[in-house]
Amino acid sequence: MPTSTYLLLAALFLQTLLTIVIMVIMGKRRFKAAREKQIQFDQFKTMALDNAPEKVILASRNFTNQFEIPMLFFVVSLAALAMKLVTLWFSIFALLFVISRIAHAYVHIGSNHIRTRFRLYLAGCAFIVLQWIILLLTLI
């Protein structure tokens, strides 16, 4: 298997791992808030957590984020793998995308500095666009 394919598979694994890590953080924050009576346990029935502490809301929102833009990453990556069109640059942009997502998640559930978070988001989007461009150019 070419190195570029291994790099792409590593990126796919890391993005999946990031989603699982955020899910665990979200769960811990939710249960801690419930134990400390910051939210009522019954609120989980409908997920009406609007009055939850900011840390809970940020982790929940970030978990949702992992099923938004990253879906474009999974689609383009799996398409390239299926068509055997994975190039080194394609894989490098995949890894850069995942690094940007890890940094975005760190900022989002940490300091939540809006400008930094937005820049990381834009960088990730740029890497996805570059992956799609490379795939299309490789097809031509």
Side-chain angles (χ1 to χ4, degrees):
M1 194 175 340
T3 302
S4 57
T5 302
Y6 280 116
L7 290 174
L8 180 57
L9 291 172
L12 288 163
F13 172 77
L14 288 172
Q15 180 59 43
T16 302
L17 182 61
L18 172 63
T19 304
I20 292 166
V21 167
I22 296 299
M23 179 181 63
V24 170
I25 291 169
M26 175 186 67
K28 285 183 175 184
R29 288 183 179 185
R30 284 178 176 180
F31 285 116
K32 181 181 179 198
R35 271 193 317 276
E36 294 176 357
K37 307 285 189 224
Q38 294 171 326
I39 52 177
Q40 299 301 313
F41 197 73
D42 283 351
Q43 289 176 269
F44 289 108
K45 288 180 182 176
T46 60
M47 297 310 291
L49 303 175
D50 296 340
N51 66 333
E54 185 176 292
K55 281 187 164 197
V56 172
I57 293 170
L58 290 176
S60 297
R61 185 66 191 118
N62 192 267
F63 182 67
T64 300
N65 285 173
Q66 301 312 317
F67 297 94
E68 294 171 349
I69 294 298
M71 289 303 106
L72 298 175
F73 164 71
F74 284 113
V75 169
V76 73
S77 296
L78 294 174
L81 282 169
M83 294 185 283
K84 296 181 177 24
L85 297 175
V86 179
T87 66
L88 183 58
W89 279 109
F90 184 91
S91 296
I92 288 170
F93 290 133
L95 284 169
L96 289 171
F97 169 75
V98 174
I99 291 167
S100 76
R101 294 304 300 168
I102 292 168
H104 177 271
Y106 179 80
V107 170
H108 194 184
I109 65 174
S111 68
N112 199 24
H113 187 265
I114 301 298
R115 284 187 182 165
T116 303
R117 194 176 104 203
F118 184 65
R119 287 181 183 133
L120 290 165
Y121 173 80
L122 287 180
C125 289
F127 295 133
I128 289 292
V129 169
L130 289 168
Q131 276 190 287
W132 278 101
I133 289 170
I134 289 171
L135 181 63
L136 291 173
L137 291 175
T138 307
L139 282 170
I140 296 174

